[in-house]
Amino acid sequence: MMKYNSIRTLAGLIILMMCVSACSAEPHTETFVMSSGNEVTSVEQSSRPFQIHKIYRLPESLTNTVRLLGWSSSDSVVVADRDISVLDQGNVKRLVRPYEQSKLISGLPYVNSHSTLSPNGKYISSTSSTTTKSRLKLINLQDGTEKEIASFNASNSYIQYISWSNNSAYLSYLVERMNGLQPDYLYIYDMKTQTSKKYELTKSRQGDTLLNVMISNDGRSVLLQTIRENEHQRVTLITGKVSGRSVDIQYERVVGGGEQTTWLSNDQFVFLGVDGTLYEYDQRNGELSVLLEKILTFKFSPDRKNIAYTTYDEQTITYVGKLQGRNILYNEAVYRGILLNDMYWSPDNQSLLIQGQKLFDPSLSTSTESVTKEAFVIELK
């Protein structure tokens, strides 16, 4: 009996020691997020959703008259000082954190509505036209120097749909012929070699109208958007590989309107479907994945890890989320109350610049009676 009691006592001590050890250890849990398919993503408990560090309001005296161009650094925003059009040119100004005052960037020429800031914030592309010539130039944001990179006869050609690759290594643009008898050309300018190459675009159907072009970071793939004649103005997304002197078509799909498409990598791109579904397509294996649904607008951060977006159901709420695999996780509302016109991620992926219309009531979102424009910088942590 004494031997039996000793065994019971020893067993109790062992169990007690195990309990104390377990209580003193750090807790460890995992959350498994199941996508709509069979993919499973393991997320550590230490991962945290987005948190707002600070929100800065840009001066009201500017927000109704400026056009946002983007970021020149992680704490510096660049704007054009008027709501410029093709004929109405404006100055370029900079706002530095806390974004309370704008300062003219001296030495820079005027810009217009075709002017675009490179993602790295170093150059502005801008067009100019005379009765004889259409020109495309690059403006160095640091010293104001200009470099003409293209010039065409204005009587039969015009430059449009200028865009940068996400890494600022390439600038692409379309040169369209006015008579419709000659082919249109895609030009790709290499910022490193400072040379251009042109590729003939053979429209897949007679009467197609080109809308937009986006070049991949390696300069070898393009996304084109067209409107097809007699098809109720449907927008078609076309992907192609530059080869020799032409573009080889790889993939076509009817998509939503606007410039709602972007490259995730040299082989993957994202686009909005006609029903507001956000898709990711992988050219390597032809896989099409659903990322989000009922999306109105979206913008990925420079590192392609974060996304900002608005939805059809809640148009005046700006959300941010994190891309992991083929899932968007940690969807957090970071601002409420404006209908977005523009949004730009900072180069360090930590701040979001937004501009939009403040409405009296969200139910008036389809009305033209907006109160005013507002712009904010949202710093995340």
Coordinates of all heavy atoms in Angstrom, one line a residue, residues 21-100:
S21 N 4.9 24.2 -16.2 CA 5.7 24.5 -17.4 C 4.9 25.0 -18.6 O 5.2 25.9 -19.3 CB 6.4 23.2 -17.9 OG 7.1 23.4 -19.1
A22 N 3.7 24.4 -18.7 CA 2.8 24.8 -19.8 C 2.3 26.2 -19.6 O 2.1 27.0 -20.5 CB 1.6 23.9 -19.9
C23 N 2.0 26.6 -18.3 CA 1.5 27.9 -18.0 C 2.5 29.0 -18.2 O 2.2 30.1 -18.6 CB 1.0 28.0 -16.6 SG -0.5 26.9 -16.3
S24 N 3.8 28.6 -18.0 CA 4.8 29.6 -18.1 C 5.3 29.8 -19.5 O 6.0 30.8 -19.8 CB 6.0 29.2 -17.2 OG 6.6 28.0 -17.7
A25 N 5.0 28.9 -20.4 CA 5.4 29.0 -21.8 C 4.6 30.0 -22.5 O 3.4 30.3 -22.2 CB 5.3 27.6 -22.5
E26 N 5.2 30.6 -23.6 CA 4.4 31.6 -24.4 C 3.3 30.8 -25.2 O 3.6 29.8 -25.8 CB 5.4 32.3 -25.4 CG 6.4 33.2 -24.8 CD 5.7 34.4 -24.2 OE1 4.6 34.8 -24.8 OE2 6.2 35.0 -23.2
P27 N 2.1 31.4 -25.3 CA 1.1 30.8 -26.0 C 1.4 30.8 -27.5 O 2.0 31.8 -28.0 CB -0.2 31.6 -25.7 CG 0.4 32.9 -25.3 CD 1.7 32.7 -24.6
H28 N 1.0 29.8 -28.3 CA 1.3 29.8 -29.7 C 0.1 29.2 -30.4 O -0.4 28.1 -30.1 CB 2.5 28.8 -30.0 CG 2.8 28.7 -31.4 ND1 3.4 29.7 -32.2 CD2 2.5 27.7 -32.3 CE1 3.5 29.3 -33.4 NE2 3.0 28.1 -33.5
T29 N -0.5 30.0 -31.2 CA -1.6 29.6 -32.0 C -1.4 30.0 -33.5 O -0.6 30.9 -33.8 CB -2.9 30.3 -31.6 OG1 -2.8 31.7 -31.7 CG2 -3.2 30.0 -30.1
E30 N -2.1 29.3 -34.4 CA -2.0 29.6 -35.8 C -3.5 29.7 -36.3 O -4.4 29.0 -35.9 CB -1.3 28.5 -36.6 CG 0.2 28.5 -36.4 CD 0.9 27.5 -37.3 OE1 0.2 26.5 -37.7 OE2 2.0 27.7 -37.7
T31 N -3.6 30.6 -37.2 CA -4.9 30.8 -37.9 C -4.8 30.3 -39.3 O -3.9 30.7 -40.0 CB -5.3 32.3 -37.9 OG1 -5.4 32.7 -36.6 CG2 -6.7 32.4 -38.6
F32 N -5.6 29.4 -39.7 CA -5.6 28.9 -41.1 C -6.7 29.6 -41.9 O -7.9 29.5 -41.5 CB -5.8 27.4 -41.1 CG -4.6 26.7 -40.5 CD1 -4.6 26.4 -39.2 CD2 -3.5 26.3 -41.3 CE1 -3.5 25.7 -38.6 CE2 -2.4 25.7 -40.8 CZ -2.4 25.3 -39.4
V33 N -6.3 30.2 -43.0 CA -7.2 31.0 -43.8 C -7.4 30.2 -45.1 O -6.5 29.9 -45.9 CB -6.6 32.4 -44.2 CG1 -7.6 33.1 -45.0 CG2 -6.3 33.1 -42.9
M34 N -8.6 29.7 -45.3 CA -9.0 28.9 -46.5 C -9.5 29.8 -47.6 O -10.4 30.6 -47.4 CB -10.1 27.9 -46.1 CG -10.5 27.0 -47.2 SD -9.2 25.8 -47.6 CE -9.4 24.7 -46.2
S35 N -8.8 29.7 -48.8 CA -9.3 30.5 -49.9 C -10.5 29.8 -50.5 O -10.9 28.7 -50.1 CB -8.2 30.6 -50.9 OG -7.9 29.3 -51.5
S36 N -11.0 30.4 -51.6 CA -12.2 29.8 -52.3 C -11.8 28.5 -52.9 O -12.7 27.7 -53.2 CB -12.7 30.8 -53.3 OG -11.8 31.1 -54.2
G37 N -10.5 28.3 -53.2 CA -10.1 27.0 -53.8 C -9.6 26.1 -52.7 O -10.1 26.0 -51.6
N38 N -8.5 25.4 -53.0 CA -8.0 24.4 -52.1 C -6.7 25.0 -51.3 O -6.2 24.2 -50.6 CB -7.6 23.1 -52.8 CG -8.8 22.5 -53.4 OD1 -9.9 22.5 -52.8 ND2 -8.7 21.9 -54.6
E39 N -6.3 26.2 -51.7 CA -5.1 26.7 -51.1 C -5.3 27.1 -49.6 O -6.3 27.7 -49.3 CB -4.7 27.9 -51.9 CG -3.3 28.4 -51.5 CD -2.8 29.5 -52.5 OE1 -3.3 29.5 -53.7 OE2 -2.0 30.3 -52.2
V40 N -4.4 26.8 -48.8 CA -4.4 27.1 -47.3 C -3.2 27.9 -47.0 O -2.1 27.5 -47.3 CB -4.5 25.8 -46.5 CG1 -4.5 26.1 -45.0 CG2 -5.7 25.0 -46.9
T41 N -3.4 29.0 -46.3 CA -2.3 29.8 -45.9 C -2.2 29.9 -44.4 O -3.2 30.1 -43.7 CB -2.5 31.3 -46.4 OG1 -2.6 31.2 -47.8 CG2 -1.3 32.2 -46.0
S42 N -1.1 29.6 -43.8 CA -0.8 29.6 -42.4 C -0.3 31.0 -42.0 O 0.7 31.5 -42.5 CB 0.2 28.6 -42.0 OG 0.4 28.6 -40.6
V43 N -1.0 31.6 -41.0 CA -0.7 33.0 -40.6 C -0.3 32.9 -39.1 O -1.1 32.5 -38.3 CB -1.9 33.9 -40.8 CG1 -1.4 35.4 -40.5 CG2 -2.3 33.9 -42.3
E44 N 0.9 33.4 -38.8 CA 1.3 33.4 -37.4 C 0.5 34.4 -36.6 O 0.1 35.4 -37.1 CB 2.8 33.7 -37.3 CG 3.7 32.7 -37.9 CD 3.7 31.4 -37.1 OE1 3.4 31.4 -35.9 OE2 3.9 30.3 -37.7
Q45 N 0.3 34.1 -35.3 CA -0.4 35.0 -34.4 C 0.2 36.3 -34.3 O -0.4 37.3 -34.1 CB -0.5 34.3 -33.0 CG -1.3 35.1 -32.0 CD -2.8 35.0 -32.2 OE1 -3.2 34.3 -33.1 NE2 -3.5 35.8 -31.5
S46 N 1.6 36.4 -34.5 CA 2.3 37.7 -34.4 C 2.0 38.6 -35.5 O 2.2 39.8 -35.4 CB 3.8 37.4 -34.3 OG 4.2 36.7 -35.5
S47 N 1.4 38.1 -36.6 CA 1.1 39.0 -37.7 C -0.1 39.9 -37.3 O -1.0 39.5 -36.6 CB 0.6 38.2 -38.9 OG 1.7 37.4 -39.4
R48 N 0.0 41.2 -37.6 CA -1.0 42.2 -37.2 C -1.6 42.9 -38.4 O -1.0 43.1 -39.4 CB -0.4 43.2 -36.2 CG 0.2 42.6 -35.0 CD 0.9 43.7 -34.2 NE 0.0 44.8 -33.8 CZ -0.7 44.8 -32.7 NH1 -0.7 43.7 -31.9 NH2 -1.5 45.7 -32.4
P49 N -2.9 43.2 -38.2 CA -3.5 44.0 -39.3 C -3.0 45.4 -39.4 O -2.2 45.8 -38.5 CB -5.0 44.0 -38.9 CG -5.0 43.8 -37.4 CD -3.8 42.9 -37.1
F50 N -3.4 46.1 -40.4 CA -2.9 47.5 -40.6 C -3.4 48.4 -39.5 O -4.6 48.2 -39.0 CB -3.4 48.0 -41.9 CG -2.8 47.4 -43.1 CD1 -3.5 46.3 -43.8 CD2 -1.6 47.8 -43.6 CE1 -2.9 45.7 -44.9 CE2 -1.0 47.2 -44.7 CZ -1.7 46.1 -45.4
Q51 N -2.6 49.3 -39.0 CA -3.0 50.2 -38.0 C -2.6 51.6 -38.5 O -1.6 51.8 -39.2 CB -2.3 50.0 -36.7 CG -2.6 48.7 -36.0 CD -1.9 48.5 -34.7 OE1 -1.8 49.5 -33.9 NE2 -1.5 47.3 -34.4
I52 N -3.5 52.6 -38.3 CA -3.3 54.0 -38.7 C -2.4 54.7 -37.7 O -2.7 54.7 -36.5 CB -4.6 54.7 -38.9 CG1 -5.5 54.1 -39.9 CG2 -4.4 56.2 -39.2 CD1 -6.9 54.7 -40.0
H53 N -1.3 55.2 -38.2 CA -0.4 55.9 -37.3 C -0.8 57.4 -37.2 O -0.9 58.0 -36.2 CB 1.1 55.8 -37.8 CG 2.0 56.7 -37.1 ND1 2.3 56.5 -35.8 CD2 2.8 57.7 -37.5 CE1 3.2 57.4 -35.4 NE2 3.5 58.2 -36.4
K54 N -1.1 58.0 -38.4 CA -1.5 59.4 -38.4 C -2.1 59.7 -39.8 O -1.8 59.1 -40.8 CB -0.2 60.3 -38.2 CG -0.6 61.8 -38.0 CD 0.7 62.5 -37.6 CE 1.2 62.1 -36.2 NZ 2.3 63.0 -35.8
I55 N -3.0 60.7 -39.8 CA -3.7 61.1 -41.0 C -3.4 62.6 -41.2 O -3.7 63.4 -40.2 CB -5.2 60.9 -41.0 CG1 -5.5 59.3 -41.0 CG2 -5.9 61.5 -42.2 CD1 -6.9 59.0 -40.9
Y56 N -2.9 63.0 -42.3 CA -2.6 64.4 -42.6 C -3.6 64.9 -43.7 O -3.8 64.2 -44.7 CB -1.2 64.6 -43.1 CG -0.1 64.2 -42.2 CD1 0.4 62.9 -42.3 CD2 0.4 65.1 -41.3 CE1 1.4 62.5 -41.4 CE2 1.4 64.7 -40.4 CZ 1.9 63.4 -40.5 OH 3.0 63.0 -39.7
R57 N -4.2 66.1 -43.4 CA -5.1 66.7 -44.4 C -4.3 67.7 -45.3 O -3.6 68.6 -44.7 CB -6.3 67.4 -43.8 CG -7.2 68.0 -44.8 CD -8.2 69.0 -44.1 NE -9.0 68.3 -43.1 CZ -10.2 67.8 -43.5 NH1 -10.7 67.9 -44.7 NH2 -11.0 67.1 -42.6
L58 N -4.3 67.5 -46.6 CA -3.7 68.5 -47.4 C -4.5 69.8 -47.4 O -5.7 69.8 -47.2 CB -3.5 68.0 -48.9 CG -2.3 67.2 -49.2 CD1 -2.2 65.9 -48.4 CD2 -2.2 66.9 -50.7
P59 N -3.8 71.0 -47.6 CA -4.5 72.3 -47.5 C -5.7 72.4 -48.4 O -5.7 72.0 -49.5 CB -3.5 73.3 -47.9 CG -2.2 72.6 -47.7 CD -2.4 71.2 -47.9
E60 N -6.9 72.8 -47.8 CA -8.1 72.9 -48.6 C -7.9 73.9 -49.7 O -8.6 73.8 -50.8 CB -9.2 73.4 -47.7 CG -9.6 72.4 -46.6 CD -10.8 72.8 -45.8 OE1 -11.3 73.9 -46.1 OE2 -11.2 72.1 -44.8
S61 N -7.0 74.9 -49.6 CA -6.8 75.8 -50.7 C -6.2 75.2 -51.9 O -6.3 75.7 -53.0 CB -5.9 77.0 -50.2 OG -4.6 76.4 -49.8
L62 N -5.7 74.0 -51.8 CA -5.1 73.3 -52.9 C -5.9 72.2 -53.4 O -6.0 71.9 -54.7 CB -3.7 72.7 -52.5 CG -2.5 73.6 -52.3 CD1 -1.3 72.8 -51.8 CD2 -2.2 74.3 -53.6
T63 N -6.6 71.5 -52.6 CA -7.3 70.2 -53.0 C -8.3 70.4 -54.0 O -8.6 69.4 -54.7 CB -7.9 69.5 -51.7 OG1 -8.7 70.5 -51.0 CG2 -6.8 69.1 -50.8
N64 N -8.9 71.5 -54.2 CA -9.9 71.7 -55.2 C -9.4 72.2 -56.6 O -10.1 72.3 -57.5 CB -11.0 72.7 -54.8 CG -12.0 72.1 -53.8 OD1 -12.8 71.2 -54.2 ND2 -12.0 72.5 -52.6
T65 N -8.1 72.5 -56.6 CA -7.5 73.0 -57.8 C -6.3 72.3 -58.3 O -5.8 72.5 -59.4 CB -7.0 74.5 -57.5 OG1 -6.1 74.6 -56.4 CG2 -8.2 75.4 -57.2
V66 N -5.7 71.3 -57.5 CA -4.5 70.6 -57.9 C -4.9 69.3 -58.5 O -5.9 68.7 -58.3 CB -3.5 70.5 -56.8 CG1 -3.1 71.8 -56.2 CG2 -4.1 69.5 -55.7
R67 N -3.9 68.7 -59.3 CA -4.0 67.3 -59.7 C -2.8 66.6 -59.1 O -1.6 67.1 -59.2 CB -3.9 67.2 -61.2 CG -3.9 65.8 -61.7 CD -4.1 65.8 -63.3 NE -2.9 66.1 -63.9 CZ -2.0 65.2 -64.4 NH1 -2.2 63.9 -64.1 NH2 -0.9 65.6 -65.0
L68 N -3.1 65.5 -58.4 CA -2.0 64.8 -57.8 C -1.2 64.1 -58.8 O -1.7 63.5 -59.8 CB -2.6 63.7 -56.8 CG -3.5 64.2 -55.7 CD1 -3.9 63.0 -54.9 CD2 -2.8 65.2 -54.8
L69 N 0.2 64.2 -58.7 CA 1.1 63.5 -59.6 C 1.7 62.3 -58.9 O 2.0 61.3 -59.6 CB 2.2 64.4 -60.0 CG 1.7 65.6 -60.9 CD1 2.9 66.5 -61.3 CD2 1.0 65.1 -62.2
G70 N 1.8 62.3 -57.6 CA 2.4 61.1 -56.9 C 3.4 61.6 -55.8 O 3.3 62.6 -55.3
W71 N 4.3 60.7 -55.5 CA 5.3 60.8 -54.5 C 6.7 61.0 -55.1 O 7.1 60.3 -56.0 CB 5.4 59.6 -53.6 CG 4.2 59.4 -52.8 CD1 3.0 58.7 -53.2 CD2 3.9 59.7 -51.4 NE1 2.1 58.6 -52.2 CE2 2.6 59.2 -51.1 CE3 4.6 60.4 -50.4 CZ2 2.0 59.4 -49.9 CZ3 4.1 60.5 -49.2 CH2 2.8 60.0 -48.9
S72 N 7.5 62.0 -54.6 CA 8.9 62.1 -55.0 C 9.8 61.5 -54.0 O 11.0 61.2 -54.3 CB 9.3 63.6 -55.2 OG 9.1 64.3 -54.0
S73 N 9.3 61.2 -52.8 CA 10.0 60.4 -51.8 C 9.0 60.0 -50.8 O 7.8 60.2 -50.9 CB 11.1 61.3 -51.1 OG 10.5 62.3 -50.4
S74 N 9.4 59.3 -49.7 CA 8.5 58.7 -48.8 C 7.8 59.7 -47.9 O 6.8 59.4 -47.2 CB 9.2 57.7 -47.9 OG 9.7 56.6 -48.7
D75 N 8.3 61.0 -47.9 CA 7.6 62.0 -47.2 C 7.4 63.3 -48.0 O 7.2 64.4 -47.5 CB 8.4 62.4 -45.9 CG 9.8 62.9 -46.2 OD1 10.2 62.9 -47.4 OD2 10.5 63.4 -45.3
S76 N 7.3 63.1 -49.3 CA 7.1 64.3 -50.2 C 6.2 64.0 -51.3 O 6.3 63.0 -52.1 CB 8.5 64.7 -50.8 OG 8.4 65.7 -51.7
V77 N 5.1 64.8 -51.4 CA 4.1 64.7 -52.4 C 4.2 65.7 -53.5 O 4.6 66.9 -53.2 CB 2.7 64.8 -51.8 CG1 1.6 64.8 -52.8 CG2 2.5 63.6 -50.8
V78 N 4.0 65.3 -54.8 CA 4.1 66.3 -55.9 C 2.8 66.5 -56.5 O 2.0 65.5 -56.8 CB 5.1 65.7 -57.0 CG1 5.2 66.7 -58.2 CG2 6.5 65.5 -56.3
V79 N 2.4 67.7 -56.8 CA 1.1 68.1 -57.4 C 1.3 69.1 -58.5 O 2.3 69.8 -58.6 CB 0.1 68.7 -56.4 CG1 -0.1 67.7 -55.2 CG2 0.6 70.0 -55.8
A80 N 0.3 69.2 -59.4 CA 0.3 70.3 -60.4 C -0.7 71.3 -59.8 O -1.8 70.9 -59.3 CB -0.2 69.7 -61.7
D81 N -0.4 72.6 -59.9 CA -1.1 73.6 -59.1 C -2.4 74.0 -59.7 O -3.1 74.8 -59.1 CB -0.2 74.8 -58.9 CG 0.0 75.6 -60.2 OD1 -0.4 75.1 -61.3 OD2 0.5 76.7 -60.2
R82 N -2.9 73.4 -60.8 CA -4.2 73.6 -61.2 C -4.8 72.3 -61.7 O -4.1 71.3 -62.0 CB -4.2 74.6 -62.4 CG -4.2 76.0 -62.0 CD -4.2 76.9 -63.2 NE -2.8 77.2 -63.6 CZ -2.4 77.8 -64.7 NH1 -3.3 78.2 -65.6 NH2 -1.2 78.0 -65.0
D83 N -6.1 72.2 -61.8 CA -6.8 71.0 -62.3 C -6.6 71.1 -63.8 O -7.5 71.5 -64.6 CB -8.3 71.0 -61.9 CG -8.9 69.7 -62.2 OD1 -8.2 68.8 -62.7 OD2 -10.1 69.6 -62.0
I84 N -5.4 70.7 -64.3 CA -5.0 71.1 -65.7 C -5.7 70.2 -66.7 O -6.1 69.1 -66.5 CB -3.5 70.9 -65.8 CG1 -3.0 69.5 -65.3 CG2 -2.8 72.0 -65.0 CD1 -1.6 69.3 -65.3
S85 N -5.8 70.7 -67.9 CA -6.3 70.0 -69.1 C -5.2 70.1 -70.1 O -4.1 70.5 -69.9 CB -7.6 70.6 -69.6 OG -7.3 72.0 -70.1
V86 N -5.5 69.6 -71.3 CA -4.4 69.5 -72.3 C -4.0 71.0 -72.7 O -2.8 71.2 -72.9 CB -5.0 68.8 -73.6 CG1 -4.0 68.9 -74.7 CG2 -5.3 67.4 -73.3
L87 N -4.9 71.9 -72.7 CA -4.5 73.3 -73.1 C -4.2 74.2 -71.9 O -3.6 75.2 -72.1 CB -5.7 73.9 -73.9 CG -6.1 73.2 -75.2 CD1 -7.3 73.9 -75.8 CD2 -4.9 73.1 -76.2
D88 N -4.6 73.8 -70.7 CA -4.3 74.6 -69.5 C -3.2 74.0 -68.8 O -3.3 73.0 -68.1 CB -5.6 74.6 -68.7 CG -5.4 75.5 -67.5 OD1 -4.5 76.4 -67.5 OD2 -6.2 75.4 -66.5
Q89 N -2.0 74.6 -68.9 CA -0.8 74.1 -68.2 C -0.7 74.6 -66.8 O -1.2 75.6 -66.4 CB 0.4 74.5 -69.1 CG 0.4 73.9 -70.5 CD 1.6 74.3 -71.2 OE1 2.2 75.4 -71.1 NE2 2.1 73.4 -72.1
G90 N 0.1 73.9 -66.0 CA 0.3 74.3 -64.6 C 1.7 74.1 -64.1 O 2.5 73.4 -64.7
N91 N 2.0 74.7 -63.0 CA 3.3 74.5 -62.3 C 3.3 73.3 -61.5 O 2.3 72.7 -61.1 CB 3.6 75.7 -61.4 CG 3.8 77.0 -62.2 OD1 4.7 77.1 -63.1 ND2 3.0 78.0 -61.9
V92 N 4.5 72.8 -61.1 CA 4.7 71.6 -60.3 C 5.1 72.1 -58.9 O 6.0 72.9 -58.8 CB 5.7 70.7 -60.9 CG1 5.9 69.5 -60.0 CG2 5.3 70.3 -62.3
K93 N 4.4 71.6 -57.9 CA 4.7 72.0 -56.5 C 4.9 70.7 -55.7 O 4.5 69.6 -56.0 CB 3.6 72.8 -55.9 CG 3.4 74.2 -56.6 CD 2.3 75.0 -55.9 CE 2.2 76.3 -56.6 NZ 1.1 77.2 -55.9
R94 N 5.6 70.9 -54.5 CA 5.9 69.8 -53.6 C 5.4 70.1 -52.2 O 5.5 71.3 -51.8 CB 7.4 69.6 -53.6 CG 7.9 68.5 -52.6 CD 9.4 68.3 -52.5 NE 9.9 67.6 -53.7 CZ 10.7 68.2 -54.5 NH1 11.1 69.4 -54.4 NH2 11.2 67.5 -55.6
L95 N 4.8 69.1 -51.6 CA 4.4 69.2 -50.2 C 5.2 68.2 -49.4 O 5.2 67.0 -49.7 CB 2.9 69.0 -50.0 CG 2.0 70.1 -50.6 CD1 1.6 69.7 -52.0 CD2 0.7 70.1 -49.7
V96 N 5.9 68.6 -48.3 CA 6.7 67.8 -47.5 C 5.9 67.6 -46.1 O 5.3 68.5 -45.6 CB 8.1 68.3 -47.2 CG1 8.9 67.4 -46.3 CG2 8.8 68.5 -48.6
R97 N 6.0 66.4 -45.5 CA 5.4 66.1 -44.2 C 5.7 67.3 -43.3 O 6.8 67.7 -43.2 CB 5.9 64.8 -43.7 CG 5.2 64.4 -42.4 CD 5.9 63.3 -41.7 NE 5.9 62.0 -42.4 CZ 7.0 61.3 -42.7 NH1 8.2 61.8 -42.4 NH2 6.9 60.2 -43.3
P98 N 4.7 67.8 -42.6 CA 3.3 67.4 -42.5 C 2.3 67.9 -43.5 O 1.1 68.0 -43.3 CB 2.9 68.0 -41.1 CG 3.7 69.2 -41.0 CD 5.0 69.0 -41.7
Y99 N 2.8 68.2 -44.7 CA 1.9 68.5 -45.9 C 1.0 69.7 -45.7 O -0.1 69.7 -46.1 CB 1.1 67.3 -46.3 CG 1.9 66.0 -46.3 CD1 1.8 65.1 -45.2 CD2 2.8 65.7 -47.3 CE1 2.6 63.9 -45.2 CE2 3.6 64.6 -47.3 CZ 3.4 63.7 -46.2 OH 4.2 62.5 -46.2
E100 N 1.5 70.7 -44.9 CA 0.7 71.9 -44.7 C 0.9 73.0 -45.7 O 0.0 73.8 -45.8 CB 1.0 72.4 -43.2 CG 0.7 71.4 -42.1 CD 1.1 71.9 -40.8 OE1 1.9 72.9 -40.7 OE2 0.7 71.4 -39.8

